[in-house]
Amino acid sequence: MRSPVRAGVMTVLAALLGLAAALLVPVHASAAATPARPADGQGNIGIQLLEAPVNRRDDPRAHLYIVDHVKPGTTIERRVKVSNDTGERRQFELYPASAEIKNGAFTFAPGRTANELAEWTSVAPEKPVLDPHESIEATVTIAVPEDAAEGERYAVVWAQSSVPPDEKHNVGHTHRVGVRIYLSVGPGGEPPSDFEITDLTAQRDDEGRPSIIAQVRNTGGRALDLRGELRLTEGPGGLSAGPYPTGTAVTLQPGETGKVAVPLTEELPDGPWRAELLLRSGKVERTAAAEVVFPEPGSVVSLTLLRAWSDLTWYVVAAALMFAVFTVALALVVRRKRLSVPARD
């Protein structure tokens, strides 16, 4: 994917070509959460975020999770939809609980375990009763204290429904579904989100199933949920394959490094291939490419990344092109002025 800088350079290049044409031809000047299926098999219970902050309308993560950056002393509200798609009248409990990022995953604490963010969070109503196939809207309120320390915190808003033992069910069971909260607190602007793909490896497991593994480092100031896809091109006989989606999303804290796996089909030829990996978290996207030949079953090989021009390189190219455009335009103006001066006797 081309960076905005590269796209700008290409635009300047087009302008340069247009000016070059002007030497010959005169030119005139002229814009959220997965439902849970109860064990009785009678349907789902669910919870879904209904709104995102205005400044995050184009951020896919903000439509699934509560993702925000606020100053100490701020109170925010978000609406969620709680649904009972089972065939029974259900009592729900809506509550916040602790979460953390551990080993590349967003990890939920058991029960109603609290942390600082969970203690700032409340849900209303707390104990709605829903008829079969009924849904309601609930309000999640997060009140950040004036003395809150700077940093990012994690929690979950849960919708829980329990079925006690009765003549139909010898054993009671509890189901819960939730919406994640990623809340950054600080006095200034939001820390930037960014990451880099530092390494790619190819492997086949002992059964011969191939995969590509990316080493990724979170270089920004917010947690990331990394997903993406891999495309294989220029394969044997001109074959192409994919896109292949990544496996389970990998969640990384700022400064953390983790691995993102892309499982592939077993019958895939060894290669050579050109592998192009695209990873994204919210609005941030990064790519990496490499030539790959898959190894024997049970083996792993490190791949050499095909380095694209950096943004700094594109800035240099852009500056050079802008200087060339200016020089050509100046020469054109001087030439026309000379031609317009009347000859003297």
Side-chain angles (χ1 to χ4, degrees):
M1 177 173 292
R2 293 192 305 177
S3 71
V5 177
R6 182 179 176 183
V9 172
M10 300 307 293
T11 301
V12 173
L13 180 58
L16 178 60
L17 293 174
L19 277 174
L23 293 172
L24 299 176
V25 180
V27 177
H28 299 279
S30 64
T34 304
R37 182 174 294 278
D40 56 21
Q42 294 186 5
N44 296 327
I45 63 171
I47 184 170
Q48 176 187 357
L49 183 64
L50 292 178
E51 58 188 346
V54 173
N55 63 339
R56 296 179 186 274
R57 292 287 169 83
D58 58 346
D59 183 349
R61 290 177 75 229
H63 291 270
L64 295 175
Y65 313 130
I66 299 174
V67 182
D68 215 333
H69 171 79
V70 298
K71 296 179 180 180
T74 302
T75 297
I76 62 173
E77 293 185 349
R78 297 288 182 269
R79 294 179 303 117
V80 295
K81 177 182 177 181
V82 180
S83 56
N84 174 22
D85 291 327
T86 74
E88 300 176 347
R89 182 179 175 87
R90 288 293 188 96
Q91 169 80 58
F92 281 77
E93 296 179 74
L94 309 182
Y95 61 90
S98 172
E100 63 177 335
I101 297 174
K102 186 177 181 181
N103 298 326
F106 193 93
T107 305
F108 315 127
R112 292 175 179 260
T113 304
N115 63 3
E116 198 172 34
L117 178 53
E119 291 174 350
W120 301 343
T121 305
S122 60
V123 191
E126 293 184 355
K127 296 184 177 182
V129 177
L130 277 66
D131 289 329
H133 309 293
E134 182 184 9
S135 63
I136 63 163
E137 288 188 10
T139 302
V140 179
T141 302
I142 304 174
V144 181
E146 291 279 359
D147 60 352
E150 186 174 353
E152 189 173 39
R153 297 162 174 84
Y154 316 108
V156 183
V157 175
W158 291 108
Q160 178 175 303
S161 179
S162 300
V163 177
D166 55 23
E167 61 274 9
K168 292 183 180 179
H169 310 93
N170 294 327
V171 179
H173 48 268
T174 297
H175 313 282
R176 67 176 186 172
V177 290
V179 172
R180 303 179 187 184
I181 306 176
Y182 299 77
L183 187 71
S184 170
V185 177
E190 179 176 0
S193 295
D194 204 356
F195 66 94
E196 62 177 352
I197 302 170
T198 60
D199 187 45
L200 291 178
T201 58
Q203 67 179 46
R204 285 189 186 270
D205 62 18
D206 292 338
E207 285 73 40
R209 290 185 294 267
S211 61
I212 296 288
I213 310 295
Q215 189 89 358
V216 183
R217 185 164 67 93
N218 184 343
T219 59
R222 297 296 308 268
L224 303 172
D225 293 302
L226 295 164
R227 294 180 173 87
E229 61 269 348
L230 177 83
R231 295 178 185 273
L232 297 173
T233 58
E234 302 175 17
L239 289 176
S240 296
Y244 296 97
T246 55
T248 304
V250 173
T251 303
L252 298 178
Q253 298 184 79
E256 188 177 10
T257 297
K259 294 182 178 181
V260 179
V262 186
L264 307 173
T265 52
E266 186 172 353
E267 64 275 9
L268 197 69
D270 290 340
W273 300 91
R274 176 184 172 88
E276 297 182 358
L277 175 66
L278 167 65
L279 294 180
R280 65 176 67 87
S281 177
K283 297 186 292 183
V284 183
E285 295 186 350
R286 296 290 178 264
T287 60
E291 300 294 336
V292 56
V293 176
F294 290 98
E296 296 293 322
S299 302
V300 180
V301 294
S302 182
L303 306 179
T304 301
L305 296 181
L306 303 176
R307 299 291 182 183
W309 281 4
S310 67
D311 278 354
L312 177 59
T313 303
W314 284 108
Y315 276 122
V316 173
V317 173
L321 288 177
M322 290 176 67
F323 178 77
V325 169
F326 174 78
T327 302
V328 171
L330 182 60
L332 181 61
V333 170
V334 171
R335 178 173 178 267
R336 286 181 174 175
K337 282 186 175 181
R338 287 176 178 175
L339 293 175
S340 62
V341 175
R344 295 182 178 179
D345 294 333

